[in-house]
Amino acid sequence: MIAYLDLPSGISGDMFLGCLVDAGWSIDQLRFTIAQLKLPADEWSIDARQVMKGPLRATLVDVQAAEGHHHRHLADIRQILQASDLAQSIQERALAVFTRLAAAEAKVHGTTPDKIHFHEVGAVDAIIDVVGTVAGLAELVIAKLFASPLPIGPGWATT
């Protein structure tokens, strides 16, 4: 199956999970998938509800994680995935996403992927977003995923 994401205002992990649930992946299957990560059950929850975004109905998936900012290395993410009960293909694809993120951060910071400290990307909610998205795409048998260009705003931000 082929899927297309129209992204006039960007996309977040929660939004992507909502798209997958709207496309037919059950919220119970999402929860079951994340439970296979063997993260402590009191550290995360996933809720879903119907919302209106302007004139459009959508499913809002809300991922909650108890931990604050947890700095993990790529090796830590690999260990979480390998210790899980997820199918090997889901583990490999999720690790490929994190590996690509580590390579991008390493390039920006002038270091190597194994030395990168994931900040927000290493937090439980981000791990749930990535693993959930990878598993949902597989469950819905989406072989190709296309997306519109992401919006790039003008101006400057002081950070």
Side-chain angles (χ1 to χ4, degrees), residues 70-105:
H70 191 83
H71 303 266
R72 288 184 173 93
H73 289 87
L74 183 58
D76 300 320
I77 303 290
R78 181 181 296 111
Q79 184 177 18
I80 290 168
L81 292 169
Q82 290 175 342
S84 76
D85 291 329
L86 292 167
Q88 187 69 30
S89 61
I90 302 302
Q91 290 180 34
E92 289 171 0
R93 182 150 296 186
L95 183 58
V97 170
F98 284 106
T99 300
R100 193 164 197 180
L101 288 168
E105 283 203 32

Side-chain angles (χ1 to χ4, degrees), residues 3-12 15-16 19 56 145-151:
Y4 180 79
L5 297 171
D6 187 15
L7 306 173
S9 59
I11 192 164
S12 67
M15 291 168 68
F16 206 145
C19 290
L56 303 175
L145 181 64
F146 297 93
S148 67
L150 291 168

Side-chain angles (χ1 to χ4, degrees), residues 17 20 25 30 33-34 37 127-137:
L17 293 174
L20 295 169
W25 196 39
L30 170 58
T33 297
I34 301 309
L37 284 170
I127 294 169
I128 289 171
D129 289 342
V130 170
V131 170
T133 297
V134 166
L137 290 169

